[in-house]
Structure formats: C-alpha cells, structure tokens
Amino acid sequence: MLLACVAAVANAQAYIGGTLGIGVEHASADGVSVTSSAFSVAPEGGYYFNKTWAVGASVGVQHHNISDVGVTTFSVLPYVRANFAHASVFDFFAELAMGYAHESSEGYGVGGFIAGIRPGFVAHLSEKFSLVGRTTLLKYNHYDGVNGVGFAINSNLELGVQFSF
C-alpha cells in the first residue's frame, strides 16, 4: 500500500495558470432584441493525480454587459477534471465544477451556488508549458431563491496557459 502511494505521488504533477474568456449572445423576440457580451479573467491551479484525473480551482471575475447594464460576477470554482482522450500533444477533458458566485450590479448584489460541466483541451507545447481551452456546456445556478439552468455550446469560450511543475 505504501508503494502504491509513493508511485501515485511520483506521477503527480501540479499546475498553475489561468484563462481569459469572452462571450457574446444575441436574443430577439416580438421585435425586441438584446445583445449581451462578457469578459472574464480566471487564474487557476490544480494537481494531476495521474494522466486521467486532476483536481483544481479557479477564482474568476467576469463583467457581463446586458443592454447597457453592467453585471460583475466574482466566483470561486473548485473542479474535478477527467481526461478522456489523447491525440498527439492534445489531452481532451471534461470538468465538473461546483462553487460560489456573487453577482453585483448598480449597488445591488446576490450570491449563490453555481455548477457546470466544462469540456476542453490542453495542448502540451513543452514539458512545462501548455495552452488550455474550455467552454461551458451545461450550467446550473441558484441565487437567493432563483434557479437557472442553461445549455450552451461556445457561449463562453476560455483560452489560457498552464505551467506544470
């Protein structure tokens, strides 16, 4: 058992990095149209237990502009990552993220629970440096009695870097 623990630690690898995100959405109904845009910054860190499993967390700030009303969101999002495919220098993964977010706009704020499934990739450019990309596929949030469920493909694209040590 001790040998298994030592082998697991020997193959483990920590990483730090972060992503920049951008999202644009346009909706129209009954002659009224609304366009929203978002920009986010999310530093993150994590730990690979082996080539398949990792845990990590990101701390993000997002500014969302909806019809000239700005909403700022601060989030703390721990996640579990599973690599499900490997091709050349690419590892493709899916993350289950659950955490806390606080949204504020024009002096008012509300906090709550958020969760999401986030598919993505890591492109290993060298032993210590990688590019990371991910999007949110399915999301759920609960803010002060209000539930929100969403399904999206590429509504929020994040690109960033990752340094392994």
Side-chain angles (χ1 to χ4, degrees), residues 8 11-13 15 47-56 79-86 90-96 120 122 124 162:
N11 289 328
Q13 192 170 23
Y15 61 90
Y47 186 80
Y48 275 102
F49 291 104
N50 53 40
K51 292 185 183 265
T52 303
W53 294 101
V55 295
Y79 59 82
V80 174
R81 177 184 291 178
N83 290 334
F84 60 83
H86 178 78
F90 290 94
D91 285 333
F92 297 94
F93 64 81
E95 293 176 347
L96 174 60
V122 177
H124 301 282
Q162 181 173 294

Side-chain angles (χ1 to χ4, degrees), residues 137-152:
L137 180 64
L138 182 63
K139 61 184 175 180
Y140 171 80
N141 56 49
H142 178 83
Y143 291 111
D144 196 23
V146 177
N147 293 319
V149 177
F151 173 78

Side-chain angles (χ1 to χ4, degrees), residues 28-129:
S28 62
D30 298 328
V32 178
S33 64
V34 176
T35 300
S36 67
S37 60
F39 177 77
S40 66
V41 177
E44 69 179 272
Y47 186 80
Y48 275 102
F49 291 104
N50 53 40
K51 292 185 183 265
T52 303
W53 294 101
V55 295
S58 64
V59 177
V61 176
Q62 180 183 54
H63 183 73
H64 198 106
N65 191 8
I66 307 167
S67 297
D68 297 327
V69 176
V71 178
T72 302
T73 304
F74 173 78
S75 63
V76 178
L77 214 58
Y79 59 82
V80 174
R81 177 184 291 178
N83 290 334
F84 60 83
H86 178 78
S88 184
V89 298
F90 290 94
D91 285 333
F92 297 94
F93 64 81
E95 293 176 347
L96 174 60
M98 291 188 273
Y100 175 80
H102 185 270
E103 291 187 355
S104 60
S105 177
E106 299 178 352
Y108 299 99
V110 63
F113 172 79
I114 58 174
I117 296 174
R118 307 183 310 178
F121 70 89
V122 177
H124 301 282
L125 302 181
S126 73
E127 187 177 316
K128 301 291 182 187
F129 179 74

